[in-house]
Amino acid sequence: MPSGRRARSKSAKCGPCAAEPPLPARLPAAAGAPATGALRALSCAMVWKPDVTVAAVIERGGRFLLVEERIRGQLVLNQPAGHLEDGEALLDAVTRETLEETAWQFTPEALLGIYQWRSPRGHTTLRFAFTGSVQGYDAARPLDAPIVTTHWLAREEIAQRSARLRTPLVLRCIEDYVAGCRLPLDALKAELSSAIVSLKLPEAT
């Protein structure tokens, strides 16, 4: 999951809203029309969005690569995983997160599944889980701050540690992997070069 440097505030604005100048500095809107920035801020406040994350399910010789990380003061187990960043493709995100959290180079080979999970606190995550292989371990590379260490564990060992799993999705993804669930990577399409189109404020008269 994301390190502190990538943590997002729940009150953070979207890109277009964050780019708006403060209200007093904006040009006046036409009579009776709300300011564009105000409309955007209202949209940001009203639109519900889940956290989009990626995860790597990596198996070697019957054992799965997990990270042990400290979350809210507790040590938990998880797949190498984290948030999709703005302007980033899903495959790039899962490769990056795996390297940052395990020091392994990950090559995605299939989409395991897309998982929607709502936490007991009412927080929703949309997880894109990938399977693949690792190579090129860099023992000198420091791991992301929340990561304490990594483990290669068998499915039975992971099930025995169910109380320590960060979310139920950790074991669910492994079970789906063992069951042979696979989707082709070309099911994912990324169009990231389009410019953001924003409404223009009326010119001052």
Side-chain angles (χ1 to χ4, degrees):
M1 295 302 287
S3 60
R5 65 183 171 84
R6 297 199 303 277
R8 303 289 195 266
S9 167
K10 290 185 179 180
S11 61
K13 296 180 180 179
C14 68
C17 287
E20 287 285 346
L23 281 171
R26 297 178 192 163
L27 296 174
T36 303
L39 286 174
R40 284 177 178 159
L42 181 62
S43 175
C44 280
M46 294 179 64
V47 176
W48 171 86
K49 298 177 182 178
D51 277 349
V52 178
T53 66
V54 293
V57 179
I58 301 161
E59 180 263 339
R60 176 179 284 182
R63 294 183 174 272
F64 294 88
L65 179 60
L66 296 186
V67 299
E68 185 173 359
E69 55 187 348
R70 190 176 299 277
I71 303 297
R72 291 186 289 275
Q74 295 186 344
L75 289 174
V76 296
L77 297 171
N78 195 9
Q79 275 101 14
H83 285 79
L84 178 70
E85 295 187 351
D86 185 23
E88 187 176 36
L90 289 163
L91 295 179
D92 292 336
V94 72
T95 301
R96 172 185 56 77
E97 286 288 354
T98 303
L99 179 63
E100 291 175 350
E101 295 194 352
T102 71
W104 282 97
Q105 293 281 350
F106 176 62
T107 301
E109 296 171 356
L111 174 65
L112 178 66
I114 303 170
Y115 302 82
Q116 182 177 341
W117 180 70
R118 184 177 175 86
S119 75
R121 298 187 300 162
H123 191 77
T124 299
T125 296
L126 191 63
R127 170 189 259 213
F128 290 77
F130 297 88
T131 67
S133 58
V134 290
Q135 56 280 321
Y137 177 70
D138 184 358
R141 182 185 177 92
L143 304 182
D144 265 9
I147 309 301
V148 176
T149 188
T150 61
H151 302 279
W152 289 93
L153 299 174
R155 187 255 177 229
E156 294 77 14
E157 294 173 312
I158 297 169
Q160 291 168 2
R161 294 164 171 79
S162 60
R164 293 189 55 206
L165 302 183
R166 182 161 183 181
T167 75
L169 294 182
V170 177
L171 187 56
R172 172 64 187 276
C173 284
I174 290 173
E175 290 174 342
D176 287 349
Y177 174 89
V178 172
C181 296
R182 305 288 191 277
L183 294 169
L185 292 179
D186 60 11
L188 301 172
K189 312 296 180 184
E191 296 292 339
L192 305 175
S193 60
S194 299
I196 297 175
V197 179
S198 61
L199 296 175
K200 293 183 178 180
L201 295 173
E203 295 183 0
T205 56

